[in-house]
Amino acid sequence: MTTCSAPGKVYLFGEHAVVYGEPAVPCAIERRARVTAEKRSDAGLRVNATDLSLDGFTVEYGDGDGPPNVDAPRSLVEDGMSYVEEAVTQARDAAGDPEAGFEVTIESDIPLGAGLGSSAAVTTALIDAATRELGTPLAPREIADRAFRAEYEVQDGQASRADTFCSAMGGAVRVEGDDCRTVDAAELPFVIGFDGGAGDTGQLVAGVRRLREEYGFAATTVESIGALVRSGERALADRDLSELGRLMDVNHGLLSALGVSSRTLDDMVWAAREGGALGAKLTGAGGGGCIVALDEGDGARTALSYAPACQEAFRAELATEGVRVEDP
Ligand code: MEV
């Protein structure tokens, strides 16, 4: 039995545009998914997920093709299970053991589909745990690459390397196409607001793709996000928090122009700003879920905790460690 964990993340800058080769800077945060993999004597796959911000569910896959035995809403389970299945496929492939079966247990304090990288964290931690269980441990960069391939399959080729690389490596990272690097970033005063909801990453990414194909201004907006990220990198290197906040505000505006914000995300962004944040933006695919703000004091968190749109407000520390082995 092997247990590994991997962190979630927030996007300081660049989500969506990163899908089209522009740079992005996600930062890992200390909210983790823990995944235990135990090799079975047959080729079956059984998954227990007890704490994914939805009712606990158990899914049993036999080694045949029969439908899974499920005790939770099917669409939610199917979304989550696609990542699990692709991660197991990658682990089997890496270990050269296509018939390997597993008991998988997932515990996560990263809400599903809320922009904090829950699927990347589960995929990354599962690939690490399952390959170790098969006696073929992988280096974090290889895990990142395998996790990206799993996400790419699930999201029909509409995925960047940003979420999975960040989750595998930890800290702040910079991703531009296939060029993935860690960035030397000091601790940033992140505050997160969560509306209790979720967005559908596949649909949101497809919406931006359609808009970009239809209108030149949308393609220009995507390029503008890339230019903004380059300015943001300079501010990050100088640890110029007020410039970072200002650029986060602009990034939120550009994401809204691409149609991926929502009423509750906008309300939380404004609550954080009015509470004194240096800047605030949605994080991840959007549509609902989380915003990230920069605030050294307690004003933004307090304002968010009173905002009707916000279900939970918390401070998030940078997770300096990426995927790692845990005591079972
Ligand atoms: C989702 O967390 C981030 C997106 O940029 C999609 C991706 O990078 O794969 C919207």
Side-chain angles (χ1 to χ4, degrees), residues 20-89:
Y20 305 99
E22 300 294 345
V25 181
C27 300
I29 56 164
E30 268 313 336
R31 284 225 160 187
R32 305 185 77 92
R34 275 168 59 95
V35 180
T36 301
E38 184 169 13
K39 192 169 180 331
R40 285 168 63 128
S41 54
D42 60 16
L45 174 59
R46 184 173 196 279
V47 180
N48 269 289
T50 51
D51 183 13
L52 290 172
S53 296
L54 58 111
D55 291 339
F57 63 81
T58 304
V59 187
E60 175 120 35
Y61 277 93
D63 37 12
D65 294 329
N69 174 13
V70 183
D71 69 358
R74 191 148 213 127
S75 60
L76 272 178
V77 173
E78 277 171 3
D79 280 0
M81 282 305 295
S82 311
Y83 289 100
V84 170
E85 283 181 74
E86 287 300 332
V88 167
T89 301

Short mmCIF file of all heavy atoms in Angstrom, two decimals, residues 20-89:
data_model
loop_
_atom_site.label_atom_id
_atom_site.label_comp_id
_atom_site.label_asym_id
_atom_site.label_seq_id
_atom_site.Cartn_x
_atom_site.Cartn_y
_atom_site.Cartn_z
N TYR A 20 -3.40 28.26 -25.30
CA TYR A 20 -3.00 28.68 -26.66
C TYR A 20 -1.52 29.07 -26.73
O TYR A 20 -1.11 29.84 -27.60
CB TYR A 20 -3.91 29.84 -27.12
CG TYR A 20 -5.34 29.42 -27.01
CD1 TYR A 20 -6.10 29.79 -25.91
CD2 TYR A 20 -5.89 28.52 -27.93
CE1 TYR A 20 -7.39 29.32 -25.75
CE2 TYR A 20 -7.18 28.05 -27.76
CZ TYR A 20 -7.92 28.45 -26.67
OH TYR A 20 -9.18 27.96 -26.50
N GLY A 21 -0.73 28.58 -25.78
CA GLY A 21 0.71 28.78 -25.84
C GLY A 21 1.21 30.05 -25.18
O GLY A 21 2.40 30.35 -25.25
N GLU A 22 0.31 30.82 -24.55
CA GLU A 22 0.78 32.00 -23.80
C GLU A 22 1.32 31.52 -22.44
O GLU A 22 0.95 30.45 -21.98
CB GLU A 22 -0.38 32.99 -23.58
CG GLU A 22 -1.02 33.51 -24.85
CD GLU A 22 -0.08 34.39 -25.68
OE1 GLU A 22 0.96 34.83 -25.16
OE2 GLU A 22 -0.38 34.62 -26.87
N PRO A 23 2.17 32.32 -21.80
CA PRO A 23 2.70 31.88 -20.50
C PRO A 23 1.65 32.00 -19.38
O PRO A 23 0.72 32.81 -19.49
CB PRO A 23 3.86 32.85 -20.25
CG PRO A 23 3.52 34.07 -21.04
CD PRO A 23 2.74 33.61 -22.23
N ALA A 24 1.82 31.20 -18.34
CA ALA A 24 0.96 31.30 -17.14
C ALA A 24 1.82 31.04 -15.91
O ALA A 24 2.84 30.36 -16.00
CB ALA A 24 -0.18 30.29 -17.20
N VAL A 25 1.38 31.61 -14.78
CA VAL A 25 2.10 31.41 -13.52
C VAL A 25 1.14 30.90 -12.45
O VAL A 25 0.51 31.69 -11.74
CB VAL A 25 2.78 32.72 -13.04
CG1 VAL A 25 3.55 32.49 -11.74
CG2 VAL A 25 3.70 33.26 -14.12
N PRO A 26 0.99 29.58 -12.35
CA PRO A 26 0.24 29.04 -11.22
C PRO A 26 1.13 28.84 -9.99
O PRO A 26 2.35 28.68 -10.13
CB PRO A 26 -0.26 27.67 -11.73
CG PRO A 26 0.50 27.37 -12.96
CD PRO A 26 1.34 28.56 -13.33
N CYS A 27 0.53 28.86 -8.81
CA CYS A 27 1.27 28.68 -7.55
C CYS A 27 0.58 27.59 -6.74
O CYS A 27 -0.64 27.65 -6.52
CB CYS A 27 1.22 29.96 -6.72
SG CYS A 27 1.93 31.38 -7.56
N ALA A 28 1.37 26.61 -6.27
CA ALA A 28 0.79 25.52 -5.47
C ALA A 28 0.41 26.04 -4.09
O ALA A 28 1.09 26.89 -3.54
CB ALA A 28 1.82 24.40 -5.35
N ILE A 29 -0.70 25.54 -3.56
CA ILE A 29 -1.15 25.98 -2.23
C ILE A 29 -1.31 24.78 -1.30
O ILE A 29 -1.53 23.65 -1.75
CB ILE A 29 -2.48 26.77 -2.30
CG1 ILE A 29 -3.57 25.95 -2.99
CG2 ILE A 29 -2.28 28.11 -2.98
CD1 ILE A 29 -4.97 26.49 -2.74
N GLU A 30 -1.21 25.08 0.00
CA GLU A 30 -1.27 24.00 0.99
C GLU A 30 -2.70 23.49 1.21
O GLU A 30 -3.26 23.60 2.29
CB GLU A 30 -0.65 24.45 2.32
CG GLU A 30 0.82 24.13 2.47
CD GLU A 30 1.24 22.70 2.08
OE1 GLU A 30 0.40 21.78 2.11
OE2 GLU A 30 2.40 22.52 1.71
N ARG A 31 -3.29 22.98 0.16
CA ARG A 31 -4.51 22.18 0.25
C ARG A 31 -4.18 20.97 -0.60
O ARG A 31 -3.84 21.14 -1.77
CB ARG A 31 -5.71 22.91 -0.33
CG ARG A 31 -6.24 23.97 0.58
CD ARG A 31 -7.76 23.89 0.64
NE ARG A 31 -8.25 24.57 1.82
CZ ARG A 31 -9.51 24.55 2.22
NH1 ARG A 31 -10.41 23.92 1.51
NH2 ARG A 31 -9.88 25.17 3.31
N ARG A 32 -4.27 19.78 -0.07
CA ARG A 32 -3.71 18.63 -0.78
C ARG A 32 -4.75 17.54 -1.01
O ARG A 32 -5.73 17.42 -0.28
CB ARG A 32 -2.53 18.03 0.00
CG ARG A 32 -1.44 19.05 0.31
CD ARG A 32 -0.23 18.44 0.96
NE ARG A 32 0.62 17.73 0.04
CZ ARG A 32 1.66 18.26 -0.60
NH1 ARG A 32 1.98 19.52 -0.44
NH2 ARG A 32 2.38 17.54 -1.42
N ALA A 33 -4.50 16.74 -2.06
CA ALA A 33 -5.24 15.48 -2.27
C ALA A 33 -4.31 14.35 -1.86
O ALA A 33 -3.14 14.34 -2.24
CB ALA A 33 -5.62 15.35 -3.74
N ARG A 34 -4.82 13.43 -1.05
CA ARG A 34 -4.04 12.25 -0.62
C ARG A 34 -4.63 11.03 -1.29
O ARG A 34 -5.84 10.80 -1.22
CB ARG A 34 -4.20 12.03 0.89
CG ARG A 34 -3.27 12.81 1.78
CD ARG A 34 -3.76 12.72 3.22
NE ARG A 34 -3.81 11.32 3.68
CZ ARG A 34 -2.84 10.73 4.36
NH1 ARG A 34 -1.75 11.40 4.67
NH2 ARG A 34 -2.97 9.48 4.76
N VAL A 35 -3.79 10.26 -1.95
CA VAL A 35 -4.28 9.09 -2.69
C VAL A 35 -3.48 7.86 -2.26
O VAL A 35 -2.25 7.88 -2.26
CB VAL A 35 -4.13 9.28 -4.21
CG1 VAL A 35 -4.65 8.05 -4.95
CG2 VAL A 35 -4.89 10.52 -4.67
N THR A 36 -4.22 6.81 -1.87
CA THR A 36 -3.57 5.54 -1.51
C THR A 36 -3.86 4.52 -2.61
O THR A 36 -5.02 4.39 -3.03
CB THR A 36 -4.12 5.02 -0.16
OG1 THR A 36 -3.85 6.01 0.82
CG2 THR A 36 -3.47 3.71 0.24
N ALA A 37 -2.82 3.86 -3.09
CA ALA A 37 -3.00 2.80 -4.09
C ALA A 37 -2.47 1.50 -3.51
O ALA A 37 -1.38 1.47 -2.93
CB ALA A 37 -2.24 3.16 -5.37
N GLU A 38 -3.28 0.45 -3.66
CA GLU A 38 -2.84 -0.87 -3.20
C GLU A 38 -3.06 -1.85 -4.35
O GLU A 38 -4.17 -1.94 -4.89
CB GLU A 38 -3.66 -1.29 -1.97
CG GLU A 38 -3.18 -2.59 -1.40
CD GLU A 38 -3.81 -2.88 -0.03
OE1 GLU A 38 -4.79 -2.21 0.35
OE2 GLU A 38 -3.31 -3.81 0.63
N LYS A 39 -2.00 -2.56 -4.71
CA LYS A 39 -2.10 -3.48 -5.85
C LYS A 39 -3.06 -4.61 -5.52
O LYS A 39 -3.04 -5.14 -4.40
CB LYS A 39 -0.71 -4.02 -6.18
CG LYS A 39 -0.65 -4.75 -7.51
CD LYS A 39 0.78 -5.03 -7.90
CE LYS A 39 0.92 -5.76 -9.22
NZ LYS A 39 -0.12 -6.64 -9.67
N ARG A 40 -3.91 -4.96 -6.48
CA ARG A 40 -4.82 -6.10 -6.31
C ARG A 40 -4.23 -7.32 -6.99
O ARG A 40 -3.34 -7.21 -7.80
CB ARG A 40 -6.18 -5.78 -6.96
CG ARG A 40 -7.01 -4.82 -6.19
CD ARG A 40 -8.18 -4.32 -7.00
NE ARG A 40 -9.14 -5.34 -7.41
CZ ARG A 40 -10.46 -5.26 -7.21
NH1 ARG A 40 -10.96 -4.22 -6.58
NH2 ARG A 40 -11.26 -6.19 -7.65
N SER A 41 -4.82 -8.47 -6.66
CA SER A 41 -4.30 -9.69 -7.28
C SER A 41 -4.91 -9.87 -8.67
O SER A 41 -4.49 -10.72 -9.44
CB SER A 41 -4.62 -10.90 -6.40
OG SER A 41 -6.00 -10.90 -6.15
N ASP A 42 -5.96 -9.05 -9.01
CA ASP A 42 -6.54 -9.14 -10.34
C ASP A 42 -6.41 -7.77 -11.03
O ASP A 42 -5.79 -6.86 -10.49
CB ASP A 42 -8.02 -9.56 -10.27
CG ASP A 42 -8.85 -8.58 -9.46
OD1 ASP A 42 -8.38 -7.44 -9.22
OD2 ASP A 42 -9.97 -8.93 -9.06
N ALA A 43 -7.03 -7.63 -12.21
CA ALA A 43 -6.86 -6.39 -12.99
C ALA A 43 -7.93 -5.34 -12.65
O ALA A 43 -8.03 -4.31 -13.32
CB ALA A 43 -6.91 -6.71 -14.48
N GLY A 44 -8.73 -5.58 -11.59
CA GLY A 44 -9.83 -4.67 -11.27
C GLY A 44 -9.36 -3.35 -10.67
O GLY A 44 -8.20 -3.20 -10.28
N LEU A 45 -10.31 -2.41 -10.65
CA LEU A 45 -10.01 -1.09 -10.07
C LEU A 45 -11.17 -0.71 -9.17
O LEU A 45 -12.32 -0.67 -9.61
CB LEU A 45 -9.87 -0.07 -11.21
CG LEU A 45 -9.71 1.40 -10.82
CD1 LEU A 45 -8.48 1.62 -9.96
CD2 LEU A 45 -9.64 2.26 -12.09
N ARG A 46 -10.87 -0.48 -7.88
CA ARG A 46 -11.93 -0.08 -6.95
C ARG A 46 -11.51 1.24 -6.33
O ARG A 46 -10.39 1.38 -5.86
CB ARG A 46 -12.10 -1.15 -5.88
CG ARG A 46 -13.22 -0.87 -4.92
CD ARG A 46 -13.44 -2.05 -3.99
NE ARG A 46 -14.72 -1.96 -3.33
CZ ARG A 46 -14.97 -1.22 -2.27
NH1 ARG A 46 -14.01 -0.49 -1.75
NH2 ARG A 46 -16.17 -1.19 -1.73
N VAL A 47 -12.43 2.22 -6.36
CA VAL A 47 -12.09 3.56 -5.89
C VAL A 47 -13.00 3.97 -4.75
O VAL A 47 -14.23 3.88 -4.86
CB VAL A 47 -12.24 4.59 -7.04
CG1 VAL A 47 -11.87 5.98 -6.56
CG2 VAL A 47 -11.38 4.20 -8.22
N ASN A 48 -12.41 4.42 -3.67
CA ASN A 48 -13.14 4.99 -2.53
C ASN A 48 -12.78 6.45 -2.43
O ASN A 48 -11.60 6.78 -2.32
CB ASN A 48 -12.62 4.35 -1.24
CG ASN A 48 -13.42 3.14 -0.89
OD1 ASN A 48 -14.57 3.26 -0.50
ND2 ASN A 48 -12.80 1.99 -1.06
N ALA A 49 -13.77 7.31 -2.48
CA ALA A 49 -13.49 8.74 -2.31
C ALA A 49 -14.41 9.23 -1.21
O ALA A 49 -15.63 9.22 -1.36
CB ALA A 49 -13.75 9.49 -3.60
N THR A 50 -13.82 9.60 -0.08
CA THR A 50 -14.65 9.89 1.08
C THR A 50 -14.82 11.37 1.34
O THR A 50 -15.72 11.77 2.02
CB THR A 50 -14.02 9.25 2.33
OG1 THR A 50 -12.65 9.64 2.38
CG2 THR A 50 -14.13 7.75 2.29
N ASP A 51 -13.94 12.20 0.80
CA ASP A 51 -14.00 13.61 1.16
C ASP A 51 -13.59 14.48 -0.02
O ASP A 51 -12.48 14.97 -0.10
CB ASP A 51 -13.07 13.87 2.36
CG ASP A 51 -13.15 15.31 2.81
OD1 ASP A 51 -14.08 16.02 2.37
OD2 ASP A 51 -12.29 15.74 3.57
N LEU A 52 -14.48 14.64 -0.96
CA LEU A 52 -14.17 15.43 -2.15
C LEU A 52 -15.11 16.62 -2.26
O LEU A 52 -15.47 17.03 -3.34
CB LEU A 52 -14.30 14.57 -3.41
CG LEU A 52 -13.23 13.50 -3.59
CD1 LEU A 52 -13.60 12.60 -4.75
CD2 LEU A 52 -11.89 14.13 -3.82
N SER A 53 -15.55 17.13 -1.13
CA SER A 53 -16.54 18.20 -1.12
C SER A 53 -17.82 17.79 -1.84
O SER A 53 -18.51 18.58 -2.43
CB SER A 53 -16.00 19.49 -1.72
OG SER A 53 -14.94 19.96 -0.94
N LEU A 54 -18.08 16.53 -1.86
CA LEU A 54 -19.38 16.01 -2.28
C LEU A 54 -19.57 14.76 -1.45
O LEU A 54 -18.64 14.30 -0.82
CB LEU A 54 -19.42 15.70 -3.78
CG LEU A 54 -18.40 14.70 -4.30
CD1 LEU A 54 -19.10 13.42 -4.72
CD2 LEU A 54 -17.69 15.27 -5.50
N ASP A 55 -20.76 14.22 -1.46
CA ASP A 55 -21.00 13.05 -0.63
C ASP A 55 -20.02 11.96 -1.00
O ASP A 55 -19.73 11.76 -2.17
CB ASP A 55 -22.43 12.53 -0.84
CG ASP A 55 -23.43 13.51 -0.28
OD1 ASP A 55 -23.03 14.31 0.58
OD2 ASP A 55 -24.59 13.47 -0.71
N GLY A 56 -19.54 11.27 0.00
CA GLY A 56 -18.58 10.20 -0.26
C GLY A 56 -19.15 9.19 -1.24
O GLY A 56 -20.34 8.94 -1.27
N PHE A 57 -18.33 8.66 -2.08
CA PHE A 57 -18.83 7.64 -3.01
C PHE A 57 -17.82 6.52 -3.15
O PHE A 57 -16.64 6.69 -2.86
CB PHE A 57 -19.19 8.23 -4.37
CG PHE A 57 -18.06 8.85 -5.14
CD1 PHE A 57 -17.19 8.07 -5.88
CD2 PHE A 57 -17.88 10.22 -5.13
CE1 PHE A 57 -16.16 8.66 -6.61
CE2 PHE A 57 -16.85 10.81 -5.86
CZ PHE A 57 -15.99 10.02 -6.59
N THR A 58 -18.32 5.40 -3.56
CA THR A 58 -17.48 4.24 -3.80
C THR A 58 -17.82 3.72 -5.17
O THR A 58 -18.99 3.61 -5.52
CB THR A 58 -17.79 3.14 -2.76
OG1 THR A 58 -17.64 3.70 -1.48
CG2 THR A 58 -16.87 1.95 -2.93
N VAL A 59 -16.83 3.44 -5.96
CA VAL A 59 -17.07 2.95 -7.31
C VAL A 59 -16.30 1.66 -7.48
O VAL A 59 -15.13 1.59 -7.10
CB VAL A 59 -16.54 3.95 -8.36
CG1 VAL A 59 -16.95 3.51 -9.74
CG2 VAL A 59 -17.05 5.34 -8.07
N GLU A 60 -16.95 0.65 -8.01
CA GLU A 60 -16.24 -0.62 -8.22
C GLU A 60 -16.19 -0.90 -9.72
O GLU A 60 -17.21 -0.90 -10.39
CB GLU A 60 -16.98 -1.75 -7.51
CG GLU A 60 -16.38 -3.09 -7.78
CD GLU A 60 -15.91 -3.77 -6.50
OE1 GLU A 60 -16.57 -3.61 -5.45
OE2 GLU A 60 -14.90 -4.47 -6.57
N TYR A 61 -14.99 -1.07 -10.24
CA TYR A 61 -14.82 -1.51 -11.62
C TYR A 61 -14.32 -2.93 -11.59
O TYR A 61 -13.32 -3.21 -10.92
CB TYR A 61 -13.78 -0.66 -12.36
CG TYR A 61 -14.33 0.62 -12.91
CD1 TYR A 61 -14.27 1.78 -12.17
CD2 TYR A 61 -14.93 0.66 -14.16
CE1 TYR A 61 -14.78 2.96 -12.67
CE2 TYR A 61 -15.44 1.83 -14.66
CZ TYR A 61 -15.36 2.98 -13.91
OH TYR A 61 -15.86 4.15 -14.41
N GLY A 62 -14.96 -3.82 -12.30
CA GLY A 62 -14.43 -5.17 -12.42
C GLY A 62 -13.39 -5.18 -13.51
O GLY A 62 -13.03 -4.14 -14.05
N ASP A 63 -12.89 -6.37 -13.86
CA ASP A 63 -11.95 -6.38 -14.98
C ASP A 63 -12.70 -6.57 -16.30
O ASP A 63 -12.14 -6.53 -17.36
CB ASP A 63 -10.82 -7.41 -14.81
CG ASP A 63 -11.29 -8.67 -14.14
OD1 ASP A 63 -12.51 -8.83 -14.03
OD2 ASP A 63 -10.44 -9.48 -13.75
N GLY A 64 -14.03 -6.72 -16.22
CA GLY A 64 -14.82 -6.80 -17.44
C GLY A 64 -15.28 -5.40 -17.85
O GLY A 64 -14.80 -4.40 -17.34
N ASP A 65 -16.26 -5.32 -18.76
CA ASP A 65 -16.69 -4.02 -19.28
C ASP A 65 -18.00 -3.54 -18.66
O ASP A 65 -18.58 -2.57 -19.10
CB ASP A 65 -16.88 -4.09 -20.80
CG ASP A 65 -15.57 -4.33 -21.50
OD1 ASP A 65 -14.56 -3.86 -20.96
OD2 ASP A 65 -15.57 -5.00 -22.55
N GLY A 66 -18.50 -4.26 -17.66
CA GLY A 66 -19.80 -3.92 -17.08
C GLY A 66 -19.81 -2.52 -16.50
O GLY A 66 -18.76 -1.97 -16.20
N PRO A 67 -21.02 -1.92 -16.33
CA PRO A 67 -21.09 -0.57 -15.78
C PRO A 67 -20.62 -0.57 -14.33
O PRO A 67 -20.82 -1.54 -13.61
CB PRO A 67 -22.57 -0.21 -15.88
CG PRO A 67 -23.29 -1.52 -15.96
CD PRO A 67 -22.34 -2.49 -16.57
N PRO A 68 -20.00 0.52 -13.86
CA PRO A 68 -19.56 0.58 -12.48
C PRO A 68 -20.74 0.61 -11.52
O PRO A 68 -21.80 1.13 -11.86
CB PRO A 68 -18.74 1.87 -12.41
CG PRO A 68 -19.19 2.69 -13.56
CD PRO A 68 -19.67 1.74 -14.60
N ASN A 69 -20.51 0.07 -10.35
CA ASN A 69 -21.50 0.07 -9.30
C ASN A 69 -21.28 1.35 -8.47
O ASN A 69 -20.29 1.49 -7.80
CB ASN A 69 -21.24 -1.21 -8.49
CG ASN A 69 -22.10 -1.29 -7.28
OD1 ASN A 69 -23.06 -0.53 -7.15
ND2 ASN A 69 -21.75 -2.18 -6.38
N VAL A 70 -22.23 2.30 -8.55
CA VAL A 70 -21.98 3.64 -8.03
C VAL A 70 -23.04 4.03 -7.01
O VAL A 70 -24.20 3.70 -7.18
CB VAL A 70 -22.08 4.66 -9.20
CG1 VAL A 70 -21.76 6.05 -8.73
CG2 VAL A 70 -21.17 4.27 -10.33
N ASP A 71 -22.64 4.74 -5.94
CA ASP A 71 -23.66 5.22 -5.02
C ASP A 71 -23.62 6.75 -4.86
O ASP A 71 -23.73 7.28 -3.78
CB ASP A 71 -23.56 4.50 -3.67
CG ASP A 71 -22.31 4.88 -2.90
OD1 ASP A 71 -21.51 5.66 -3.44
OD2 ASP A 71 -22.16 4.42 -1.77
N ALA A 72 -23.45 7.47 -5.96
CA ALA A 72 -23.46 8.95 -5.96
C ALA A 72 -23.91 9.42 -7.34
O ALA A 72 -23.98 8.61 -8.27
CB ALA A 72 -22.06 9.47 -5.67
N PRO A 73 -24.27 10.74 -7.48
CA PRO A 73 -24.74 11.21 -8.79
C PRO A 73 -23.76 10.83 -9.91
O PRO A 73 -22.56 11.05 -9.81
CB PRO A 73 -24.80 12.73 -8.62
CG PRO A 73 -24.91 12.95 -7.17
CD PRO A 73 -24.23 11.80 -6.49
N ARG A 74 -24.33 10.25 -10.96
CA ARG A 74 -23.51 9.63 -11.99
C ARG A 74 -22.56 10.62 -12.69
O ARG A 74 -21.38 10.31 -12.91
CB ARG A 74 -24.45 9.00 -13.00
CG ARG A 74 -23.72 8.12 -13.93
CD ARG A 74 -24.58 6.95 -14.38
NE ARG A 74 -23.72 5.83 -14.59
CZ ARG A 74 -23.92 4.65 -14.05
NH1 ARG A 74 -24.90 4.47 -13.21
NH2 ARG A 74 -23.12 3.68 -14.31
N SER A 75 -23.05 11.82 -13.02
CA SER A 75 -22.20 12.74 -13.80
C SER A 75 -20.97 13.15 -13.01
O SER A 75 -19.85 13.18 -13.53
CB SER A 75 -23.01 13.96 -14.22
OG SER A 75 -23.46 14.61 -13.05
N LEU A 76 -21.18 13.43 -11.71
CA LEU A 76 -20.03 13.83 -10.88
C LEU A 76 -19.02 12.70 -10.78
O LEU A 76 -17.83 12.90 -10.89
CB LEU A 76 -20.52 14.15 -9.46
CG LEU A 76 -20.96 15.57 -9.19
CD1 LEU A 76 -21.45 15.72 -7.76
CD2 LEU A 76 -19.81 16.54 -9.45
N VAL A 77 -19.54 11.50 -10.57
CA VAL A 77 -18.65 10.36 -10.42
C VAL A 77 -17.91 10.10 -11.73
O VAL A 77 -16.71 9.86 -11.75
CB VAL A 77 -19.45 9.11 -10.01
CG1 VAL A 77 -18.56 7.88 -10.01
CG2 VAL A 77 -20.05 9.32 -8.64
N GLU A 78 -18.66 10.19 -12.84
CA GLU A 78 -18.02 9.91 -14.13
C GLU A 78 -16.89 10.90 -14.42
O GLU A 78 -15.82 10.51 -14.87
CB GLU A 78 -19.06 9.90 -15.25
CG GLU A 78 -19.73 8.55 -15.31
CD GLU A 78 -20.93 8.51 -16.24
OE1 GLU A 78 -21.22 9.53 -16.90
OE2 GLU A 78 -21.57 7.45 -16.28
N ASP A 79 -17.12 12.19 -14.11
CA ASP A 79 -16.06 13.17 -14.32
C ASP A 79 -14.83 12.80 -13.51
O ASP A 79 -13.72 12.72 -14.03
CB ASP A 79 -16.52 14.57 -13.87
CG ASP A 79 -17.38 15.23 -14.92
OD1 ASP A 79 -17.61 14.60 -15.97
OD2 ASP A 79 -17.83 16.36 -14.68
N GLY A 80 -15.05 12.58 -12.21
CA GLY A 80 -13.92 12.25 -11.33
C GLY A 80 -13.25 10.95 -11.74
O GLY A 80 -12.02 10.84 -11.77
N MET A 81 -14.07 9.97 -12.11
CA MET A 81 -13.51 8.65 -12.45
C MET A 81 -12.70 8.68 -13.74
O MET A 81 -11.78 7.90 -13.91
CB MET A 81 -14.64 7.62 -12.57
CG MET A 81 -15.14 7.11 -11.24
SD MET A 81 -13.83 6.43 -10.20
CE MET A 81 -13.31 5.03 -11.17
N SER A 82 -13.03 9.58 -14.66
CA SER A 82 -12.25 9.64 -15.91
C SER A 82 -10.79 9.96 -15.60
O SER A 82 -9.88 9.39 -16.18
CB SER A 82 -12.78 10.72 -16.85
OG SER A 82 -14.14 10.61 -16.96
N TYR A 83 -10.57 10.91 -14.66
CA TYR A 83 -9.20 11.26 -14.30
C TYR A 83 -8.50 10.07 -13.63
O TYR A 83 -7.34 9.78 -13.89
CB TYR A 83 -9.17 12.47 -13.35
CG TYR A 83 -9.55 13.76 -14.05
CD1 TYR A 83 -10.82 14.30 -13.95
CD2 TYR A 83 -8.61 14.43 -14.83
CE1 TYR A 83 -11.17 15.47 -14.59
CE2 TYR A 83 -8.94 15.61 -15.49
CZ TYR A 83 -10.23 16.13 -15.36
OH TYR A 83 -10.56 17.29 -16.02
N VAL A 84 -9.26 9.38 -12.76
CA VAL A 84 -8.68 8.23 -12.05
C VAL A 84 -8.30 7.15 -13.05
O VAL A 84 -7.19 6.60 -13.02
CB VAL A 84 -9.68 7.70 -11.00
CG1 VAL A 84 -9.21 6.37 -10.42
CG2 VAL A 84 -9.88 8.72 -9.90
N GLU A 85 -9.19 6.85 -13.98
CA GLU A 85 -8.90 5.79 -14.97
C GLU A 85 -7.71 6.14 -15.83
O GLU A 85 -6.85 5.30 -16.09
CB GLU A 85 -10.12 5.59 -15.88
CG GLU A 85 -11.21 4.80 -15.22
CD GLU A 85 -12.36 4.63 -16.20
OE1 GLU A 85 -12.23 3.83 -17.13
OE2 GLU A 85 -13.36 5.32 -16.03
N GLU A 86 -7.64 7.40 -16.29
CA GLU A 86 -6.51 7.79 -17.14
C GLU A 86 -5.20 7.79 -16.35
O GLU A 86 -4.15 7.44 -16.89
CB GLU A 86 -6.74 9.17 -17.77
CG GLU A 86 -7.77 9.17 -18.88
CD GLU A 86 -7.41 8.25 -20.06
OE1 GLU A 86 -6.22 8.01 -20.32
OE2 GLU A 86 -8.34 7.75 -20.70
N ALA A 87 -5.27 8.17 -15.08
CA ALA A 87 -4.05 8.14 -14.25
C ALA A 87 -3.58 6.70 -14.09
O ALA A 87 -2.38 6.41 -14.19
CB ALA A 87 -4.32 8.77 -12.89
N VAL A 88 -4.51 5.77 -13.88
CA VAL A 88 -4.14 4.35 -13.73
C VAL A 88 -3.56 3.84 -15.06
O VAL A 88 -2.56 3.11 -15.07
CB VAL A 88 -5.36 3.52 -13.26
CG1 VAL A 88 -5.10 2.03 -13.41
CG2 VAL A 88 -5.67 3.86 -11.81
N THR A 89 -4.14 4.25 -16.18
CA THR A 89 -3.59 3.85 -17.48
C THR A 89 -2.15 4.32 -17.62
O THR A 89 -1.27 3.58 -18.07
CB THR A 89 -4.44 4.47 -18.62
OG1 THR A 89 -5.78 4.01 -18.45
CG2 THR A 89 -3.93 4.08 -20.00
#
